[in-house]
Short mmCIF file of all heavy atoms in Angstrom, two decimals:
data_model
loop_
_atom_site.label_atom_id
_atom_site.label_comp_id
_atom_site.label_asym_id
_atom_site.label_seq_id
_atom_site.Cartn_x
_atom_site.Cartn_y
_atom_site.Cartn_z
N THR E 1 187.70 176.66 272.50
CA THR E 1 187.55 175.92 271.21
C THR E 1 186.35 174.90 271.30
O THR E 1 185.51 174.86 270.46
CB THR E 1 188.81 175.11 270.86
OG1 THR E 1 189.89 176.13 270.78
CG2 THR E 1 188.68 174.36 269.63
N ALA E 2 186.30 174.14 272.37
CA ALA E 2 185.25 173.16 272.52
C ALA E 2 183.86 173.80 272.63
O ALA E 2 182.97 173.33 272.02
CB ALA E 2 185.49 172.25 273.75
N THR E 3 183.83 174.87 273.31
CA THR E 3 182.54 175.62 273.57
C THR E 3 182.03 176.29 272.23
O THR E 3 180.84 176.15 271.90
CB THR E 3 182.64 176.60 274.69
OG1 THR E 3 183.05 175.95 275.88
CG2 THR E 3 181.37 177.34 274.90
N LEU E 4 182.94 176.93 271.55
CA LEU E 4 182.53 177.56 270.26
C LEU E 4 182.16 176.46 269.26
O LEU E 4 181.19 176.66 268.48
CB LEU E 4 183.59 178.45 269.68
CG LEU E 4 183.98 179.68 270.60
CD1 LEU E 4 185.01 180.54 269.82
CD2 LEU E 4 182.76 180.52 270.99
N SER E 5 182.86 175.39 269.24
CA SER E 5 182.58 174.33 268.29
C SER E 5 181.22 173.72 268.55
O SER E 5 180.45 173.43 267.64
CB SER E 5 183.71 173.30 268.31
OG SER E 5 184.91 173.77 267.91
N ALA E 6 180.97 173.51 269.87
CA ALA E 6 179.66 172.92 270.18
C ALA E 6 178.50 173.87 269.86
O ALA E 6 177.36 173.36 269.62
CB ALA E 6 179.64 172.65 271.72
N ALA E 7 178.78 175.11 269.73
CA ALA E 7 177.72 176.08 269.41
C ALA E 7 177.60 176.24 267.82
O ALA E 7 176.84 177.16 267.38
CB ALA E 7 178.05 177.46 269.97
N GLY E 8 178.33 175.43 267.11
CA GLY E 8 178.20 175.45 265.65
C GLY E 8 179.33 176.16 264.88
O GLY E 8 179.29 176.27 263.71
N CYS E 9 180.36 176.71 265.64
CA CYS E 9 181.35 177.48 264.95
C CYS E 9 182.45 176.59 264.37
O CYS E 9 182.83 175.56 265.01
CB CYS E 9 182.00 178.42 266.06
SG CYS E 9 183.05 179.69 265.42
N ARG E 10 182.86 176.88 263.19
CA ARG E 10 184.05 176.17 262.62
C ARG E 10 185.30 176.82 263.23
O ARG E 10 185.47 178.04 263.09
CB ARG E 10 184.03 176.26 261.10
CG ARG E 10 182.94 175.51 260.41
CD ARG E 10 183.07 175.50 258.95
NE ARG E 10 182.96 176.84 258.38
CZ ARG E 10 183.78 177.41 257.49
NH1 ARG E 10 184.73 176.68 256.98
NH2 ARG E 10 183.56 178.62 257.02
N THR E 11 186.09 175.99 263.82
CA THR E 11 187.27 176.51 264.58
C THR E 11 188.54 176.03 264.10
O THR E 11 188.74 174.82 263.70
CB THR E 11 187.08 176.15 266.07
OG1 THR E 11 187.02 174.74 266.24
CG2 THR E 11 185.86 176.82 266.66
N ALA E 12 189.59 176.88 264.17
CA ALA E 12 190.98 176.56 263.92
C ALA E 12 191.82 176.92 265.16
O ALA E 12 191.60 178.00 265.75
CB ALA E 12 191.44 177.27 262.68
N ILE E 13 192.64 176.03 265.59
CA ILE E 13 193.46 176.37 266.75
C ILE E 13 194.92 176.41 266.33
O ILE E 13 195.33 175.78 265.32
CB ILE E 13 193.27 175.23 267.85
CG1 ILE E 13 193.68 173.86 267.36
CG2 ILE E 13 191.85 175.34 268.40
CD1 ILE E 13 193.63 172.83 268.51
N ALA E 14 195.68 177.18 267.11
CA ALA E 14 197.10 177.33 266.80
C ALA E 14 197.88 177.30 268.10
O ALA E 14 197.44 177.70 269.17
CB ALA E 14 197.32 178.66 266.09
N GLY E 15 199.10 176.82 267.98
CA GLY E 15 200.00 176.79 269.11
C GLY E 15 201.35 176.34 268.73
O GLY E 15 201.63 175.99 267.53
N ARG E 16 202.28 176.29 269.68
CA ARG E 16 203.71 176.01 269.35
C ARG E 16 203.94 174.49 269.20
O ARG E 16 204.88 174.07 268.43
CB ARG E 16 204.66 176.62 270.38
CG ARG E 16 204.73 178.09 270.32
CD ARG E 16 205.60 178.56 271.53
NE ARG E 16 205.00 178.40 272.79
CZ ARG E 16 205.55 178.59 274.00
NH1 ARG E 16 206.79 179.04 274.05
NH2 ARG E 16 204.88 178.38 275.09
N ARG E 17 203.23 173.65 269.90
CA ARG E 17 203.48 172.22 269.95
C ARG E 17 202.57 171.38 269.14
O ARG E 17 201.35 171.34 269.49
CB ARG E 17 203.53 171.75 271.44
CG ARG E 17 204.63 172.47 272.25
CD ARG E 17 204.46 172.16 273.73
NE ARG E 17 203.30 172.82 274.24
CZ ARG E 17 202.86 172.73 275.51
NH1 ARG E 17 203.48 171.98 276.38
NH2 ARG E 17 201.75 173.41 275.92
N GLN E 18 203.11 170.79 268.12
CA GLN E 18 202.22 169.96 267.20
C GLN E 18 201.55 168.82 267.93
O GLN E 18 200.43 168.58 267.64
CB GLN E 18 203.14 169.41 266.09
CG GLN E 18 202.33 168.66 264.93
CD GLN E 18 201.39 169.67 264.22
OE1 GLN E 18 201.92 170.63 263.62
NE2 GLN E 18 200.14 169.35 264.10
N GLU E 19 202.20 168.16 268.89
CA GLU E 19 201.65 167.08 269.48
C GLU E 19 200.41 167.51 270.39
O GLU E 19 199.39 166.78 270.50
CB GLU E 19 202.70 166.30 270.47
CG GLU E 19 203.23 167.04 271.61
CD GLU E 19 204.30 168.01 271.29
OE1 GLU E 19 204.62 168.25 270.10
OE2 GLU E 19 204.93 168.53 272.26
N LYS E 20 200.48 168.61 270.98
CA LYS E 20 199.35 169.12 271.77
C LYS E 20 198.20 169.49 270.82
O LYS E 20 197.03 169.22 271.15
CB LYS E 20 199.78 170.35 272.57
CG LYS E 20 200.80 170.06 273.67
CD LYS E 20 200.10 169.33 274.81
CE LYS E 20 201.03 169.20 276.03
NZ LYS E 20 200.40 168.45 277.12
N LEU E 21 198.52 170.05 269.72
CA LEU E 21 197.46 170.37 268.76
C LEU E 21 196.77 169.17 268.21
O LEU E 21 195.52 169.05 268.13
CB LEU E 21 198.06 171.17 267.59
CG LEU E 21 198.59 172.59 267.89
CD1 LEU E 21 199.43 173.18 266.70
CD2 LEU E 21 197.46 173.55 268.29
N ASP E 22 197.57 168.17 267.91
CA ASP E 22 197.05 166.88 267.36
C ASP E 22 196.09 166.25 268.40
O ASP E 22 195.02 165.74 268.07
CB ASP E 22 198.10 165.89 266.96
CG ASP E 22 198.96 166.35 265.79
OD1 ASP E 22 198.44 167.23 265.04
OD2 ASP E 22 200.04 165.88 265.57
N ALA E 23 196.51 166.25 269.66
CA ALA E 23 195.69 165.64 270.74
C ALA E 23 194.40 166.42 270.91
O ALA E 23 193.36 165.79 271.12
CB ALA E 23 196.52 165.64 272.04
N ALA E 24 194.44 167.73 270.80
CA ALA E 24 193.25 168.49 270.98
C ALA E 24 192.28 168.27 269.80
O ALA E 24 191.03 168.08 270.07
CB ALA E 24 193.55 169.93 271.04
#
């Protein structure tokens, strides 16, 4: 996610734990 975003990509992440997603 960090690498694609730094290359200009608009990114969406998904996972089971909301707190981990928020921190990311």
